[in-house]
């Protein structure tokens, strides 16, 4: 990672915080209407133990749901990518399922698995994040140039060899692009369940507690903490992408 890749995002973050602080000051908004960045450090100092505990609970459930989405989404994408019949059969179902607002599904899941908070939170994170992965893998495999397959088959390559040598490398850029989207979606699913569930734990429950007590600095502190966790996971995916699919990056050419 170059110095520019560090300085530019940090500078953008500082400009955003300064603009936020200036907006609150110019508008004269009180803390019960809009918290400023300067109001957040006292909230972190007061509730730091809760942020550590709740933040970890949110993070591991999100990662668990995301890992399930990667496994299931990749497998489903491979099925649709290699079979036109399965693609024609499953795409309408997937599109219809993804079109259903997940905020309406969360209460149903919470009632179906009352008391199973870890399970239903991971389930929602999975349900909301597997779709981009499945679609990207399917598109990557279904658009594989037939000339490559014909050349390898003429050389005696098996179907598994074609997959590992041609199909998988071609699909990796699309896969990691979808995974970057799924990271943020998984956090949305986790926090929806944490807020709605009566047994909710995690940063979503801490946000709901701040809302109940009209503690706006706490609510905004939770939002910033969620954003930082999302950025952390995003850059982990970026690092994995550079390791396994760095050859596809043409930005420096």
């Amino acid at each position: 990672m170059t110095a520019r890749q560090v300085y530019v995002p940090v500078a953008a973050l500082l400009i955003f915080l300064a603009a936020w602080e200036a907006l609150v000051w110019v508008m004269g908004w009180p803390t019960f209407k809009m918290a400023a960045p300067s109001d957040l450090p006292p909230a972190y100092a007061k509730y730091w133990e809760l942020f550590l505990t709740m933040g970890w609970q949110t993070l591991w459930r999100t990662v668990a749901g995301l890992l399930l989405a990667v496994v299931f989404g990749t497998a489903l994408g491979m099925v649709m990518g290699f079979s036109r019949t399965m693609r024609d059969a499953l795409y309408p179902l997937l599109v219809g399922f993804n079109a259903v607002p997940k905020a309406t599904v969360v209460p149903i899941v919470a009632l179906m698995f009352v008391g199973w908070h870890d399970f239903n939170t991971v389930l929602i994170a999975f349900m909301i994040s597997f779709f981009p992965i499945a679609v990207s893998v399917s598109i990557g495999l279904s658009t594989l140039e037939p000339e490559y397959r014909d050349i390898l088959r003429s050389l005696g390559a098996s179907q598994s060899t074609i997959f590992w040598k041609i199909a998988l490398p071609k699909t990796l850029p699309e896969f990691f692009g979808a995974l970057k989207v799924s990271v943020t979606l998984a956090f949305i699913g986790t926090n929806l369940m944490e807020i709605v569930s009566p047994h909710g734990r995690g940063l979503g429950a801490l946000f709901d507690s701040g809302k109940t007590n009209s503690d706006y600095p706490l609510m905004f502190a939770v939002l910033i903490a969620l954003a930082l966790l999302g950025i952390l996971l995003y850059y982990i995916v970026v690092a994995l992408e550079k390791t396994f699919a760095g050859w596809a990056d043409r930005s420096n050419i």
Side-chain angles (χ1 to χ4, degrees), residues 111-151:
L111 291 174
M112 288 177 62
F113 304 103
V114 175
W116 294 17
H117 179 66
D118 290 341
F119 174 79
N120 54 32
T121 304
V122 171
L123 178 61
I124 289 296
F126 156 75
M127 290 172 62
I128 204 172
S129 59
F130 82 90
F131 179 79
I133 298 173
V135 171
S136 67
V137 173
S138 171
I139 293 174
L141 294 177
S142 62
T143 56
L144 179 64
E145 290 81 355
E147 294 82 4
Y148 293 151
R149 295 179 183 176
D150 295 338
I151 292 173

Side-chain angles (χ1 to χ4, degrees), residues 20 26 39 42 64-65 78 94 107 137 147 150 169-171 180 238:
W20 178 4
V26 169
D39 298 321
M78 290 174 63
L94 288 176
V137 173
E147 294 82 4
D150 295 338
K170 182 184 181 301
T171 306
K180 292 174 185 176
V238 169

Side-chain angles (χ1 to χ4, degrees), residues 36-47 217 221:
S38 58
D39 298 321
L40 305 188
Y44 287 123
K46 183 177 180 180
Y47 301 105

